[in-house]
Amino acid sequence: MGAVRTEPVIALVTSDFGLTVDTELSALAEQIGERARVSTVRWDDPAVDWAAFDLALIRSTWDYTGRVAEFLDWVDRAAGATRLVNPGPLVRWNAVKTYLADLGERGVPVVPTAFVAPGQQPALPAGDFVVKPVVGAGALHAARYGPQEHERAAAQIGCLHADGATVMIQPYQAAVDTAGEAALVFVGGRFRHAVRKGAVLAPGVAYDSDRDAHPDLRRYTPTERELAVAGTALAALDGAPPLYARVDLVPGPDGAPLLMELELIEPDLFLWADPATLDALVTAVIDAALTTP
């Protein structure tokens, strides 16, 4: 049984970029601040004493994909000094999208994915397909190609390989163009709310182009099949359910939902879609900070 603290001290962990664009930070800080001492800090600020916090909540470390080794070193340090949420081992595993292969092996229906490391030759699909790096967020360096664009795709793969990146190749799920992508938000393993967004990757758009990572957002009620797949994905994780998770699903060729991504590090939780989720998240954070494992 852990010791109980009476004055939790909590860090909301962000980045320079997150401080500029994270619209959820202020609401989280305000509500947590009503029940605990809270500071908003950058993950890469060398002046931060992580041991001074009872809990560090990763929220918008949205520059880490270009500095993943440095970020994961910080994860290890922070997790050694305080309670990191989500936990360090889970963050390390989720930072590289090869986790999709792990989940597939555990029975989760995932979008079929081939991983191609530098030095390996890719087998490009006959139909429309997507190429992206295994470390990335917000469709960064992702592109959609048609069956006549293998040369363009090979050029992108060559550029990513030259930077030392492993790439992932997936058949494009065409139903996304009409049905969109569902994002289901969970707190403590419990479903809270969902949103639907439009297709992100348009034909003919270069992989290094700017794009809206969450176009045409709207509130959404997931189907029973979507809830079941999301539950299967979370149940496939080791240990207790993560304090927060976002499960991104797309309809496959037969309409059945497939896991596109399982976001466990710094997802936008779309808290505007359901104020009750913010309350639940704050309560879960306070409870976790109050009890030392």
Side-chain angles (χ1 to χ4, degrees), residues 151-201:
E151 187 174 338
R152 286 185 62 234
Q156 177 192 352
I157 293 168
C159 288
L160 293 173
H161 279 176
D163 288 337
T166 294
V167 302
M168 50 196 294
I169 302 172
Q170 300 172 315
Y172 186 74
Q173 305 302 310
V176 172
D177 290 339
T178 53
E181 179 179 327
L184 282 62
V185 175
F186 290 76
V187 175
R190 179 184 173 189
F191 172 70
R192 301 301 313 189
H193 72 268
V195 300
R196 171 153 279 180
K197 63 182 178 180
V200 176
L201 300 178

Side-chain angles (χ1 to χ4, degrees), residues 1-284:
M1 194 82 174
V4 176
R5 300 173 185 259
T6 57
E7 295 181 339
V9 184
I10 295 169
L12 295 181
V13 186
T14 185
S15 58
D16 282 336
F17 183 51
L19 286 169
T20 302
V21 300
D22 184 356
T23 59
E24 299 181 349
L25 266 181
S26 59
L28 271 170
E30 181 178 351
Q31 289 210 23
I32 291 174
E34 293 174 358
R35 301 168 59 183
R37 286 185 285 163
V38 61
S39 299
T40 300
V41 295
R42 291 182 291 106
W43 70 269
D44 57 354
D45 183 348
V48 175
D49 177 11
W50 299 102
F53 298 101
D54 298 304
L55 182 144
L57 179 70
I58 302 176
R59 281 311 316 131
S60 45
T61 56
W62 291 339
D63 59 356
Y64 87 88
T65 57
R67 310 159 59 190
V68 67
E70 182 182 352
F71 177 73
L72 293 178
D73 284 346
W74 168 79
V75 166
D76 292 343
R77 293 196 309 275
T82 186
R83 173 177 284 188
L84 189 66
V85 175
N86 281 318
L90 194 61
V91 170
R92 272 194 162 273
W93 174 78
N94 194 234
V96 184
K97 291 182 174 60
T98 49
Y99 71 77
L100 289 171
D102 296 336
L103 293 176
E105 291 173 357
R106 298 173 192 178
V108 180
V110 302
V111 173
T113 307
F115 298 97
V116 186
Q120 295 179 331
Q121 293 300 314
L124 299 179
D128 286 3
F129 61 97
V130 173
V131 174
K132 55 187 173 183
V134 295
V135 176
L140 181 68
H141 293 160
R144 171 182 172 182
Y145 297 101
Q148 308 304 318
E149 296 181 292
H150 284 197
E151 187 174 338
R152 286 185 62 234
Q156 177 192 352
I157 293 168
C159 288
L160 293 173
H161 279 176
D163 288 337
T166 294
V167 302
M168 50 196 294
I169 302 172
Q170 300 172 315
Y172 186 74
Q173 305 302 310
V176 172
D177 290 339
T178 53
E181 179 179 327
L184 282 62
V185 175
F186 290 76
V187 175
R190 179 184 173 189
F191 172 70
R192 301 301 313 189
H193 72 268
V195 300
R196 171 153 279 180
K197 63 182 178 180
V200 176
L201 300 178
V205 178
Y207 73 93
D208 54 356
S209 300
D210 292 332
R211 69 198 79 201
D212 182 356
H214 303 303
D216 193 26
L217 279 176
R218 61 189 69 186
R219 294 178 180 85
Y220 175 66
T221 301
T223 66
E224 290 299 322
R225 289 199 299 178
E226 288 171 330
L227 287 168
V229 170
T232 299
L234 293 177
L237 301 177
D238 296 328
L243 191 143
Y244 59 84
R246 198 183 84 206
V247 185
D248 293 347
L249 304 172
V250 295
D254 61 355
L258 299 175
L259 180 72
M260 175 67 74
E261 291 195 20
L262 179 58
E263 299 274 8
L264 303 176
I265 300 179
E266 31 59 67
D268 191 326
L269 297 176
F270 309 117
L271 297 175
W272 54 266
D274 181 18
T277 301
L278 174 59
D279 295 337
L281 179 62
V282 169
T283 296

